[in-house]
Amino acid sequence: FDDIMKNIYYTNDYSKRKIVSFYHFCCLKLYLNYKDYKYEKYKDELIRLFPFLINKNSNYQKAYINILNSFENCSIAFKGRKINFNNAMYSKIMNSNDRLLKKVVFNGYLETLKKNNVQLIKLFQEIKYNNVKENNKLYNKTLEESIEYFNEFINYYKKRSKLKKVYLYDIFNGSKRKMSIDKSLKLIKESLNPLNISNDIDDIFKNNRIDLYPNKNKTFGYFTINTYDLNSFILFNYNGTYKDLFVLSHEIGHYIAYQLRKKDKSYYDMVNYDDLEIPSLTFELLVAYYLYNNKKSKNNIINILNIFSNVFYRYGIFNQFEQELSFNNQEISIEQIYLDLLKKYFYNMEIVDNQKYEFLSVRQLLKCNYCYQYSKSLIISLAIVKKMMSNSDYCNKFIDFIKDAP
């Protein structure tokens, strides 16, 4: 079965690989649970997490494929000419210095989501959010208190950029100086030097464990695919931006964690995602601290703030969205719930009406509680890095943590 799955996986195009990976995951989990006579315990969870696999003609599958493919043939009119862009190019454009181009592409992106909204919203309406865990009260308090601080940052950005109004696409901080992959890897390895994993990072590139650059028909985003019996694989879309530097360190964190954990852990331990974001966010933070301590500048500090406001703040909003869908029986549309949250948390930013469809492209919302893991893991990772800075022996403890978790 595994040999068949490998052939299916590597002969499919990018847009289908994620689905094949999920299918492999489900089949292995079903097999193991059947062996242990625990299938019934996990049956509802599997149907909830991967309903589009149960019936290949279901709305779930069609909607999910739409999420992956809806941007493959986008075109916009810009300065009298037609510009084509796809998923992989969207991130590059959002990190450019051309504000007008970013505005047009951003609005085109939202318009594409709007066109698919009926089918995609049906997906979210049918997902059962009864398994969402209610947030810790201290976490909720921290998120609420961060509203003022984040909007102060928006005000600072507005004054520094001399803008009357700030939109979401403005927060994607463009930089005239692009980083080669060699420079990014050098910075990452220097940042992670205390962990003594430089050879492991080199092996990712020497053994072709990463698909690095954007290509035609390649899916957007970044993720690390892991199966229990195969080597992990990183899908990336490197464009030489500051964001790419941090995201690359993040995905390397996932890869290293998977590889270390496979040596001693069971399949059940591999698929538990409660701690999955801690290694990757710790790697990001180590890069951020290295840049801050060695290359201090206003641009670096703003880039760092941009990255981590996204992790804690943006994913905090996505998590609040899950909470609203689960615990508040409001008689308003789910897109309006999301729009109201954006206006609450970004009160110093201009929010356009079509942003109410933005959540439809957030894959993590298809897994209940996953957005919460991002924000929670960032807080834990900050505590880990703080200890690393004061005690070098803690680096070894962190590697042991990766191996031994959960």
Side-chain angles (χ1 to χ4, degrees), residues 80-307:
R81 58 195 177 96
K82 183 179 178 182
I83 293 180
N84 296 314
F85 71 96
N86 60 11
N87 293 320
M89 291 300 295
Y90 177 73
S91 178
K92 183 175 182 179
I93 293 171
M94 285 297 102
N95 281 278
S96 75
N97 292 295
D98 192 327
R99 187 170 183 249
L100 180 57
L101 176 62
K102 289 198 290 187
K103 175 183 177 180
V104 173
V105 171
F106 179 72
N107 288 329
Y109 157 82
L110 294 176
E111 192 63 34
T112 303
L113 286 175
K114 182 180 178 181
K115 288 176 183 176
N116 290 283
N117 84 85
V118 174
Q119 196 173 35
L120 296 178
I121 286 173
K122 189 173 182 181
L123 167 68
F124 279 86
Q125 287 172 333
E126 291 177 1
I127 288 176
K128 304 296 184 185
Y129 278 98
N130 56 342
N131 289 321
V132 171
K133 298 173 185 175
E134 192 161 8
N135 283 352
N136 178 286
K137 290 181 180 179
L138 181 60
Y139 169 85
N140 282 338
K141 182 182 177 183
T142 304
L143 187 62
E144 290 296 312
E145 289 175 349
S146 70
I147 295 176
E148 182 181 351
Y149 295 116
F150 185 76
N151 281 278
E152 281 183 14
F153 169 62
I154 294 174
N155 267 344
Y156 169 76
Y157 188 88
K158 189 187 296 185
K159 290 175 183 176
R160 185 175 181 272
S161 306
K162 299 179 180 179
L163 296 172
K164 293 182 179 179
K165 296 180 179 179
V166 170
Y167 295 85
L168 187 61
Y169 53 80
D170 290 314
I171 300 299
F172 291 93
N173 196 29
S175 174
K176 293 179 181 178
R177 297 172 63 182
K178 300 297 181 184
M179 279 185 287
S180 67
I181 185 60
D182 291 336
K183 184 175 180 180
S184 288
L185 277 176
K186 183 173 182 290
L187 280 171
I188 290 171
K189 287 196 283 187
E190 288 172 354
S191 305
L192 305 180
N193 188 55
L195 301 178
N196 196 28
I197 57 170
S198 290
N199 289 337
D200 298 295
I201 296 172
D202 288 335
D203 286 343
I204 295 172
F205 291 84
K206 288 177 182 176
N207 296 317
N208 296 319
R209 303 295 181 209
I210 184 169
D211 188 346
L212 191 60
Y213 297 104
N215 280 307
K216 186 178 180 180
N217 298 324
K218 182 175 178 178
T219 190
F220 65 103
Y222 322 83
F223 52 80
T224 301
I225 296 171
N226 178 62
T227 56
Y228 189 59
D229 56 333
L230 301 174
N231 283 306
S232 301
F233 190 85
I234 300 173
L235 182 137
F236 212 81
N237 285 287
Y238 188 82
N239 290 302
T241 65
Y242 254 91
K243 177 186 176 183
D244 289 339
L245 169 68
F246 283 98
V247 178
L248 183 58
S249 65
H250 183 104
E251 296 305 326
I252 288 173
H254 281 311
Y255 182 95
I256 298 294
Y258 287 144
Q259 295 301 103
L260 290 175
R261 199 171 292 182
K262 279 178 186 177
K263 295 176 182 178
D264 303 307
K265 288 294 176 180
S266 70
Y267 176 76
Y268 285 115
D269 294 333
M270 289 295 299
V271 299
N272 177 13
Y273 62 74
D274 282 349
D275 71 317
L276 198 59
E277 295 302 329
I278 296 173
S280 50
L281 287 170
T282 300
F283 279 30
E284 280 196 72
L285 279 170
L286 286 169
V287 173
Y289 271 84
Y290 180 83
L291 286 173
Y292 179 74
N293 290 325
N294 295 281
K295 301 176 183 294
K296 286 184 180 178
S297 72
K298 286 184 178 180
N299 280 335
N300 273 340
I301 293 169
I302 288 173
N303 277 311
I304 292 166
L305 286 171
N306 272 331
I307 296 298

